[in-house]
DNA sequence: GCTGAAAACAAATTATG
DNA sequence: CATAATTTGTTTTCAGC
């Protein structure tokens, strides 16, 4: 991972449709060199894959909620079960085990408040390991990026 | 946006390297039909772009922190200034204005605790609008996806 | 909005220095 | 790591339904 690799990753995490030729011109290298570097970054597992970014507003999935969860008990199999359940809920776009008062922070993405209510009532709170929850609603998204600060 | 478009978006947000041919076979359409649908989804703004996903562990940027921020005052120009400042910090991968006790939730991505300390001391807390902060460290990432639950 | 075919282009491989 | 030639496959355009 030298500076050239870093520049390639920076560009590709912004726009993966860049051609090797365009990247090569930008970096002052040949297309083959850039091609080989990208393949190596893929084989290394540095590049996990390529995905399309979809506008949440345009597809009416722009109601976002952060839900903190406290477990009722903290024995290992309870933790595992909870995590497995959460992983299967497609509305949960991320779930972190945190230090602090609450155990987990869940980021939830739904259509609107009615959908969130439905999600809570008929999905999340059905998980028996949950002790208590606290929901915080997103009023405005100031910044949101997948780009790592390389 | 019919069911076919939805299926195309579902696939592309998982793997944007899928060829129109492969998608067409999956959907029982011709490659051209799929091609035209994708172009329309792009022109519509439903597809914002295509990006590479990078492994945070492999590039040593796997120390994640959620930092809640309370502003000292809430006049409009203070809010705008704060948001503009935060937007320029590359370590901040997301920033949400939330309802509840704290005003903002910042998701921060750095190398390690030392880097986080450095970020707080010489970047975040230099923003004068900040009243107080509370940091919660990620112990374990249970789930993390960019995929919207279409 | 779809199909099938043709043209244009980029990716991927190989050879050579 | 560069250049060049080649093959393979995909993207894009087009005529026609």
């Amino acid at each position: 991972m030298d500076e050239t690799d870093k520049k390639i990753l920076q560009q590709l995490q912004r726009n993966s449709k860049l051609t090797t030729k365009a990247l090569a011109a930008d970096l002052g290298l040949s297309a083959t060199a850039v091609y080989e570097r990208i393949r190596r970054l893929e084989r290394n597992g540095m590049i996990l894959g390529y995905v399309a970014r979809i506008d949440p507003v345009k597809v009416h999935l722009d109601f976002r909620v952060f839900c903190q969860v406290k477990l009722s008990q903290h024995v290992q199999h309870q933790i595992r079960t909870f995590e497995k359940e959460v992983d299967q809920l497609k509305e949960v776009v991320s779930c972190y085990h945190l230090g602090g008062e609450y155990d987990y922070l869940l980021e939830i993405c739904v259509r609107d408040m009615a959908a969130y209510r439905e999600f809570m009532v008929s999905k999340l709170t059905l998980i028996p390991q949950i002790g208590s929850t606290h929901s915080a609603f997103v009023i405005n998204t100031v910044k949101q990026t997948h780009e790592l600060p390389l």
Side-chain angles (χ1 to χ4, degrees), chain A:
Chain A
M1 255 287 283
D2 58 9
E3 277 302 309
T4 304
D5 282 341
K6 209 165 122 178
K7 280 179 193 159
I8 291 173
L9 291 179
Q10 277 171 346
Q11 296 264 29
L12 290 181
Q13 81 175 156
R14 228 182 282 275
N15 175 17
S16 64
K17 282 277 149 87
L18 282 172
T19 61
T20 53
K21 202 177 151 188
L23 269 169
D26 185 50
L27 296 165
L29 288 174
S30 72
T32 312
V34 172
Y35 170 73
E36 278 165 356
R37 278 172 180 270
I38 293 172
R39 290 302 302 268
R40 211 194 57 233
L41 291 166
E42 287 170 355
R43 269 185 282 113
N44 281 348
M46 297 224 170
I47 295 176
L48 293 169
Y50 301 91
V51 303
R53 284 177 52 227
I54 295 174
D55 188 340
V57 178
K58 286 275 168 66
V59 296
H60 305 295
L61 284 169
D62 55 340
F63 193 77
R64 215 165 264 256
V65 186
F66 284 92
C67 180
Q68 290 182 288
V69 171
K70 225 179 277 196
L71 296 191
S72 53
Q73 290 175 62
H74 296 82
V75 290
Q76 201 181 12
H77 93 270
Q78 290 251 27
I79 293 173
R80 283 228 202 96
T81 310
F82 169 77
E83 294 187 355
K84 220 182 283 179
E85 291 288 332
V86 156
D87 192 43
Q88 290 175 344
L89 301 175
K90 68 183 197 311
E91 293 90 346
V92 178
V93 294
S94 57
C95 171
Y96 300 96
H97 183 193
L98 290 187
E101 204 199 337
Y102 280 86
D103 297 311
Y104 290 95
L105 179 67
L106 276 60
E107 185 179 357
I108 289 146
C109 181
V110 288
R111 187 186 189 82
D112 51 26
M113 184 61 93
Y116 185 64
R117 194 191 111 81
E118 183 58 24
F119 167 78
M120 288 300 277
V121 170
S122 67
K123 290 193 178 176
L124 192 68
T125 57
L126 292 189
I127 301 176
Q129 288 78 20
I130 293 178
S132 64
T133 67
H134 176 80
S135 300
F137 302 99
V138 171
I139 294 169
N140 181 41
T141 300
V142 177
K143 181 178 187 178
Q144 199 178 35
T145 181
H146 60 282
E147 289 177 35
L148 298 178
L150 295 171

